[in-house]
Amino acid sequence: MSELARILLVEDDPRDVELTLTALGEYNLANEVVVTRDGEKALDYLYCRGEFSARSNDNPAVMLLDLKLPKVDGLQVLQQIKSDERLKLIPVVVLTSSREEKDMVRSYKLGVNAYVVKPVDFHEFVNAIKELGVFWAVINEPPPGSVKKAP
Amino acid sequence: MTIHLAERPTGAAAKRSLARWNLELRRGSPAIRYGLSVVCVAVALGGALVSQYYGALDVELPLFDMAVVVATWYAGVGPSVLAVVLSALCYNYFFTEPFYSFEVSNEDLPRFFLFIASAAIVAWFVAVRRRIESDLRHARDNLQVELEQRKRREDEIRQLNNELARRASELETSNKELESFAYSVSHDLRAPLRHVVGYSELLQRQASSLLDEKSRRFMQTILESAKRMGNLIDDLLEFSRIGRAETKNTLVSPDPLVKDVVAEIGQDTTGRDIVWKIHHLPVCYSDRSMLRLVIFNLLSNAVKFTRMRAQAEIEIGCVDGENEVEVFVRDNGAGFDMQYVDKLFGVFQRLHLPEEFEGTGIGLATVRRIIHRHGGEVRAEGIVDHGATFYFSLPKAQDAAERTANTL
């Protein structure tokens, strides 16, 4: 599964993970997702370090990034990615509870590709996730070096 | 005059204590002052007699003059006159011919008058000099007192300044705490709420067919309550954001804003008959987006509370005052009881049941907060079932800069 993962979801809350996966599952995208639970693991995944040292070196087609994460927080992960020649090609979507303007401004300054506030309403949440997943993993042509779509 | 002096150099202190003794003597009892005068003259007389005995002649004039000087300087005008008179008598008795009588021979008469004149002139000069001295001392003492008062005031000001600085830093800390509180509310409170909604939806989806009507209603209530809480949190965050956000005040013409807001509200009111009466509003000095929010909140309230009218009438206009512009929004809707007017602008305060009119009760609180930050005031008038009028004032463009500077 992780070999084919085109969506990297970085989210610490297991319930949010489940709800996101459920939403993506409605559009058959759940098996394209690899989940890391903190910023450090996310960077391990991207750099193929630690437990991910065996995976192929391709970038995910999109990264869904929460901002409030244990150890390395979302903005730090974003900064790290966008300052790395190879990783900065990855489209990053911040998916967060925070409607705070300063988070939004900092994310955009760091070069985020989209900023999505998780809606409280579940239908809206499902719709948002669906559209994100479909757009970035299906419609959008990912940059070179990304995991290819399963045939 | 009592002056408490702080530490001073000892030389100056000695000089000062002598001066004080001087002053005190001049104010002292007449007995002492006149006594001093008599003693001075007696000492001068003694000196003159002793000198005469040893053959030193004509020293009595300077000696008596000295006695007059001392008496005038230390004891004042009355003793001075006494000293002159006593000196004259002594001189007459002991030193003019015939000796030991108060008569004066013709050839000694000029000497005698010269003596009196010199004593009077010396007394006169010393008295004048003494007055100047005492005026100067008086002025200096006043200056000293003033200086000390100023120093005390400066100390007080410095103390108040320190206090102010401390308060300011406390305020800054508590503002920062508030900010981080709002931030974590925004992050952490919303997440579990989203889970409540999400999982309830999932449960509803999975188990809907198994549930009876009552259970489905329970489920629906859970969902609605959670969404309502979401709205409350969003509104509260928005409200706190307005308190923290920096205002960028510029000259704003409210007319396009009103037009814009009416157009936006118009999209949600299709099918309703609303008569808009929109008057021209003067340019004011304010933050454009905040002013827009004020207009939006008031107009959307007016639209909301006129829902039950076949024809709603909403009017926006202004009363042009001397220093400020008072804008009003009037409607013919549900109105309110003036008894509760104070509650109207409170956070989460509502005067209607949620079944009658939806809303969280933050709109007018936001209006008030924004207007206060602009240095203006809000008020409202209403009659139940006859409509309401909301007023807000904004400083006029010309004197707005200083007023907002004071209130921000």
Side-chain angles (χ1 to χ4, degrees):
Chain A
M1 171 186 116
S2 65
E3 284 299 305
L4 278 173
R6 288 189 288 133
I7 301 172
L8 172 61
L9 174 63
V10 190
E11 171 66 71
D12 61 323
D13 191 317
R15 286 166 286 262
D16 266 331
V17 171
E18 191 180 354
L19 290 176
T20 308
L21 289 180
T22 310
L24 287 171
E26 295 194 9
Y27 299 91
N28 299 321
L29 286 166
N31 60 348
E32 309 252 10
V33 181
V34 65
V35 179
T36 56
R37 299 289 297 282
D38 61 51
E40 194 182 276
K41 283 266 161 50
L43 289 173
D44 281 354
Y45 179 85
L46 293 171
Y47 285 111
C48 307
R49 295 185 299 220
E51 59 181 287
F52 302 106
S53 55
R55 80 171 190 95
S56 78
N57 205 17
D58 296 335
N59 286 336
V62 63
M63 178 170 176
L64 303 179
L65 180 66
D66 190 13
L67 286 185
K68 215 176 178 192
L69 294 168
K71 296 179 192 170
V72 186
D73 77 26
L75 288 169
Q76 287 173 297
V77 172
L78 185 61
Q79 189 166 25
Q80 177 64 37
I81 292 173
K82 292 300 180 186
S83 59
D84 183 296
E85 258 329 290
R86 184 176 69 88
L87 298 181
K88 75 173 172 195
L89 296 176
I90 304 172
V92 180
V93 176
V94 164
L95 189 59
T96 176
S97 300
S98 165
R99 217 181 274 279
E100 284 289 312
E101 200 175 292
K102 71 173 185 214
D103 280 343
M104 202 180 297
V105 169
R106 277 196 66 196
S107 301
Y108 277 116
K109 278 193 179 153
L110 289 172
V112 80
N113 300 75
Y115 189 98
V116 177
V117 178
K118 297 173 190 168
V120 170
D121 186 287
F122 187 64
H123 293 291
E124 288 173 29
F125 180 75
V126 169
N127 273 337
I129 298 294
K130 178 201 93 179
E131 279 170 26
L132 277 178
V134 170
F135 179 79
W136 289 105
V138 181
I139 298 173
N140 186 47
E141 204 57 53
S146 305
V147 181
K148 292 284 172 295
K149 240 178 268 184
Chain B
M1 187 178 306
T2 51
I3 307 155
H4 300 285
L5 289 171
E7 288 171 50
R8 294 172 61 96
T10 37
K15 218 165 145 189
R16 221 174 137 66
S17 76
L18 191 68
R20 197 177 305 162
W21 180 78
N22 255 337
L23 279 173
E24 274 163 15
L25 187 68
R26 276 166 77 84
R27 273 152 219 276
S29 72
I32 293 179
R33 295 196 290 135
Y34 286 92
L36 178 74
S37 177
V38 171
V39 167
C40 286
V41 174
V43 168
L45 175 64
L49 288 175
V50 169
S51 305
Q52 197 182 42
Y53 180 77
Y54 286 106
L57 298 176
D58 292 336
V59 291
E60 60 279 352
L61 182 79
L63 278 174
F64 281 117
D65 278 355
M66 265 166 67
V68 169
V69 165
V70 171
T72 311
W73 186 262
Y74 287 107
V77 176
S80 167
V81 171
L82 179 67
V84 171
V85 170
L86 285 178
S87 300
L89 289 176
C90 293
Y91 188 75
N92 187 339
Y93 192 75
F94 293 105
F95 303 105
T96 56
E97 292 191 24
F99 295 123
Y100 307 112
S101 94
F102 288 111
E103 278 166 42
V104 184
S105 68
N106 276 342
E107 64 231 51
D108 261 1
L109 207 56
R111 226 156 70 95
F112 178 64
F113 282 122
L114 190 69
F115 175 85
I116 291 177
S118 86
I121 288 171
V122 162
W124 172 253
F125 277 139
V126 170
V128 169
R129 176 69 182 80
R130 179 73 216 200
R131 171 151 313 146
I132 292 171
E133 173 97 346
S134 126
D135 283 352
L136 276 176
R137 184 165 291 136
H138 202 70
R140 192 194 58 188
D141 287 346
N142 278 350
L143 268 178
Q144 187 75 31
V145 168
E146 215 164 278
L147 201 73
E148 306 217 343
Q149 274 174 352
R150 182 168 307 173
K151 212 171 133 203
R152 210 166 24 240
R153 274 201 295 272
E154 269 170 20
D155 281 349
E156 272 169 32
I157 289 172
R158 198 169 308 124
Q159 214 170 347
L160 286 173
N161 258 345
N162 289 345
E163 177 76 359
L164 205 64
R166 196 177 58 76
R167 289 269 173 84
S169 89
E170 272 178 14
L171 207 63
E172 202 175 326
T173 316
S174 85
N175 255 350
K176 282 216 176 92
E177 272 169 20
L178 203 66
E179 203 168 319
S180 77
F181 169 74
Y183 184 79
S184 47
V185 165
S186 158
H187 263 283
D188 302 340
L189 225 58
R190 223 198 296 253
L193 204 62
R194 223 178 34 249
H195 302 151
V196 171
V197 177
Y199 282 95
S200 307
E201 286 273 356
L202 287 179
L203 182 62
Q204 202 177 30
R205 209 177 286 181
Q206 294 248 295
S208 187
S209 54
L210 307 175
L211 296 176
D212 58 9
E213 188 55 39
K214 203 173 178 186
S215 311
R216 270 202 291 276
R217 193 170 59 75
F218 290 168
M219 192 71 88
Q220 197 56 38
T221 307
I222 293 173
L223 276 170
E224 278 165 12
S225 301
K227 281 176 196 165
R228 184 170 158 70
M229 181 157 175
N231 291 339
L232 285 173
I233 291 174
D234 284 351
D235 283 355
L236 203 58
L237 285 176
E238 178 65 18
F239 183 66
S240 96
R241 197 187 61 79
I242 284 164
R244 289 178 287 135
E246 282 181 31
T247 48
K248 296 179 204 78
N249 286 356
T250 51
L251 290 177
V252 182
S253 166
D255 290 337
L257 294 179
V258 172
K259 211 173 142 192
D260 190 36
V261 168
V262 169
E264 188 183 331
I265 293 174
Q267 292 172 351
D268 304 327
T269 56
T270 40
R272 282 191 55 191
D273 186 5
I274 300 176
V275 180
W276 293 96
K277 289 183 198 159
I278 300 170
H279 303 285
H280 167 71
L281 302 177
V283 171
C284 44
Y285 192 72
S286 64
D287 182 290
R288 177 183 293 276
S289 64
M290 288 201 179
L291 183 60
R292 189 187 186 281
L293 188 57
V294 166
I295 294 172
F296 181 88
N297 282 356
L298 291 178
L299 290 185
S300 61
N301 263 4
V303 167
K304 183 160 78 179
F305 290 102
T306 51
R307 191 186 294 150
M308 67 295 185
R309 297 278 182 259
Q311 189 184 54
E313 282 171 26
I314 299 169
E315 183 180 1
I316 178 164
C318 75
V319 186
D320 211 345
E322 194 182 330
N323 297 318
E324 51 187 26
V325 180
E326 193 169 52
V327 179
F328 65 83
V329 174
R330 183 173 296 139
D331 65 58
N332 64 340
F336 61 89
D337 190 339
M338 279 303 274
Q339 198 182 336
Y340 306 117
V341 69
D342 294 341
K343 291 190 171 184
L344 218 50
F345 292 96
V347 180
F348 291 151
Q349 292 280 6
R350 307 201 62 227
L351 296 185
H352 298 93
L353 295 174
E355 297 95 282
E356 295 174 301
F357 298 103
E358 72 289 348
T360 50
I362 204 94
L364 289 178
T366 306
V367 166
R368 181 169 69 172
R369 190 170 232 191
I370 292 176
I371 295 303
H372 279 181
R373 287 200 64 176
H374 281 84
E377 286 297 330
V378 289
R379 64 191 178 91
E381 288 166 2
I383 303 168
V384 174
D385 220 29
H386 283 83
T389 310
F390 290 89
Y391 300 86
F392 66 88
S393 59
L394 284 175
K396 268 194 165 173
Q398 58 264 33
D399 71 343
E402 47 183 308
R403 283 188 57 178
T404 40
N406 290 340
T407 50
L408 282 185

